[in-house]
Amino acid sequence: MELEDFRRFIESSLKKMDSGFYYDALPNLEKILRSDFFKKLNTKDQLFIRKRTSWIQLSLGHYEAGWKNFAYNWLKNSQKFEKINNQNNKIKYLIDFGQIKNDEKVLIWNDGGYGDFIYQLRLIKYFNKSIKFKIYDSKMSHLLRNKNLITKDASGFSWHLPLNEIPRIINYNPLKHNDFDYNYLIEPNKDIIDFSNCVGLTYKTDTSEKKSIDYKLFEKLFIKKKNIKFLILQKPIDECEKKFFSNFSNVNIIDNFDNNFIFKDTFNIVSSLKFLISIDSAITHIAGYHGKKNYLLLSYPSSFYWGYSEKRSVEYKNHFLLRQSSSLDWQSVVNDLIKEI
């Protein structure tokens, strides 16, 4: 095989992955990683292929190999690291806890999204108690219960650990790491309006068009389930969406929330709901933290967080996973949702 043939082999393997054919793509990608040609690629391309391979491995439960290939995943969001680097350009990326010497401290920073903040912090309980760490200040800091864990200054830290690499450094395996204490965020405010008779619904995210659902596809749901009071928890929401939802007497909209602190109102509202219907975004992790029943509507293929074909979440015991059977097929997911509820 020549180098150009090798590059075409990489491209075809990644296309199989993007199409959801994980069992076909994985042996090809693992073969690529073992090839002498792989060593001739530039570092950026090597890391990209390792990252993509790790997503399949983790989805299929190959945790040891998956986390090994997940190293340096944070580089895709390295722009978020610039502020830390400006404060402390001697700080080093932590590969293994064994690198920490004496009284050296670790700075944990959010290299991902808002949902990652909630999802990954549950794993800190598996850190050795001797490890000294702080969490770098972010837009989500107001939700953290222990304010003493927050720092705005990166100076004095020897190591940095991206939030999304907490699972990697503890070699996370849900069969071993499954005893979570959901007490690291603030207590929900019980004085808000009671939404216990409502089912929350969120259907789009600015971060991914693939994960978002056309709101008109929910018409059948609202008609078939007239006995359910739906609460649209979505920002932003335009006039066309509002007009559509107004056609259904069992649908209400709440769009005046989270104006002061991101997800603070959402955090309280979700804790009050009867249950939630959501897509893969931060709100589903908020529901998971609260232990709320959540019908999670997933694109095909989904994030490795949710496995490959499971119908229940490993991490969030009350999450029911409804998956597309093929890419962009949201109508079948909504039909499955109607049957389930």
Side-chain angles (χ1 to χ4, degrees), residues 201-218:
L201 172 62
T202 180
Y203 54 90
K204 65 178 180 178
T205 171
D206 293 336
T207 60
S208 175
E209 185 175 340
K210 180 183 175 183
K211 294 179 182 179
S212 300
I213 305 175
D214 182 352
Y215 62 92
K216 294 178 183 177
L217 290 180
F218 291 103

Side-chain angles (χ1 to χ4, degrees), residues 319-334:
H319 271 42
F320 297 83
L321 311 181
L322 303 178
R323 301 174 181 273
Q324 290 181 345
S325 56
S326 59
S327 183
L328 303 179
D329 181 19
W330 282 121
Q331 186 61 69
S332 66
V333 177
V334 175

Side-chain angles (χ1 to χ4, degrees), residues 77-291:
N77 289 319
S78 58
Q79 75 281 357
K80 297 182 180 180
F81 181 68
E82 291 177 4
K83 186 176 179 180
I84 293 171
N85 195 51
N86 289 335
Q87 293 179 351
N88 181 357
N89 60 13
K90 293 182 179 180
I91 197 167
K92 294 169 288 187
Y93 170 58
L94 188 66
I95 297 288
D96 185 88
F97 281 136
Q99 295 173 280
I100 303 172
K101 302 289 191 299
N102 302 322
D103 292 329
E104 291 180 339
K105 296 185 295 182
V106 180
L107 181 66
I108 298 172
W109 60 283
N110 192 2
D111 62 318
Y114 299 123
D116 296 310
F117 184 89
I118 296 168
Y119 182 72
Q120 306 295 9
L121 286 182
R122 77 200 195 286
L123 296 174
I124 284 180
K125 69 165 290 181
Y126 291 103
F127 282 13
N128 187 298
K129 294 293 188 283
S130 65
I131 295 170
K132 298 178 180 179
F133 70 91
K134 293 280 188 179
I135 299 170
Y136 197 68
D137 189 38
S138 71
K139 291 182 179 179
M140 295 288 282
S141 292
H142 61 280
L143 289 180
L144 198 63
R145 181 176 298 197
N146 186 353
K147 306 304 182 188
N148 292 325
L149 286 178
I150 303 169
T151 182
K152 296 182 178 181
D153 188 358
S155 60
F157 290 86
S158 300
W159 305 95
H160 76 86
L161 179 67
L163 192 77
N164 279 325
E165 301 214 22
I166 292 177
R168 174 191 63 76
I169 206 163
I170 67 169
N171 196 18
Y172 170 67
N173 184 328
L175 298 179
K176 296 189 301 182
H177 306 98
N178 53 21
D179 180 24
F180 301 122
D181 300 322
Y182 288 107
N183 60 2
Y184 52 89
L185 299 181
I186 59 174
E187 286 281 348
N189 186 349
K190 302 297 184 181
D191 295 331
I192 62 169
I193 299 173
D194 182 13
F195 293 109
S196 58
N197 65 337
C198 295
V199 172
L201 172 62
T202 180
Y203 54 90
K204 65 178 180 178
T205 171
D206 293 336
T207 60
S208 175
E209 185 175 340
K210 180 183 175 183
K211 294 179 182 179
S212 300
I213 305 175
D214 182 352
Y215 62 92
K216 294 178 183 177
L217 290 180
F218 291 103
E219 179 176 7
K220 186 176 179 181
L221 171 69
F222 301 147
I223 293 173
K224 291 282 186 178
K225 301 296 178 178
K226 289 182 179 180
N227 61 319
I228 294 178
K229 293 183 179 179
F230 292 97
L231 185 69
I232 308 299
L233 280 171
Q234 195 68 64
K235 289 181 71 173
I237 185 167
D238 62 33
E239 292 304 316
C240 290
E241 290 168 295
K242 289 180 180 179
K243 184 177 180 180
F244 171 78
F245 292 128
S246 69
N247 292 320
F248 309 97
S249 60
N250 58 333
V251 178
N252 291 309
I253 299 170
I254 179 168
D255 59 351
N256 186 27
F257 60 102
D258 294 336
N259 295 322
N260 297 319
F261 296 98
I262 193 163
F263 291 121
K264 185 173 182 180
D265 296 329
T266 297
F267 186 79
N268 293 326
I269 293 168
V270 170
S271 72
S272 175
L273 291 171
K274 185 176 183 180
F275 63 87
L276 179 70
I277 299 166
S278 71
I279 57 167
D280 185 2
S281 61
I283 196 169
T284 198
H285 295 290
I286 293 173
Y289 180 88
H290 287 308

Side-chain angles (χ1 to χ4, degrees), residues 31-93:
K31 181 179 179 180
I32 289 166
L33 295 180
R34 295 191 300 267
S35 170
D36 289 335
F37 284 112
F38 182 73
K39 301 173 186 177
K40 298 178 182 180
L41 300 176
N42 62 50
T43 301
K44 182 179 178 181
D45 287 343
Q46 287 184 9
L47 290 174
F48 176 76
I49 295 169
R50 286 194 181 279
K51 178 186 70 176
R52 298 296 295 278
T53 304
S54 74
W55 292 354
I56 300 182
Q57 290 169 327
L58 295 171
S59 292
L60 298 180
H62 303 174
Y63 297 108
E64 187 172 351
W67 294 126
K68 182 178 179 181
N69 284 316
F70 199 76
Y72 292 98
N73 177 73
W74 68 277
L75 288 176
K76 74 178 189 296
N77 289 319
S78 58
Q79 75 281 357
K80 297 182 180 180
F81 181 68
E82 291 177 4
K83 186 176 179 180
I84 293 171
N85 195 51
N86 289 335
Q87 293 179 351
N88 181 357
N89 60 13
K90 293 182 179 180
I91 197 167
K92 294 169 288 187
Y93 170 58

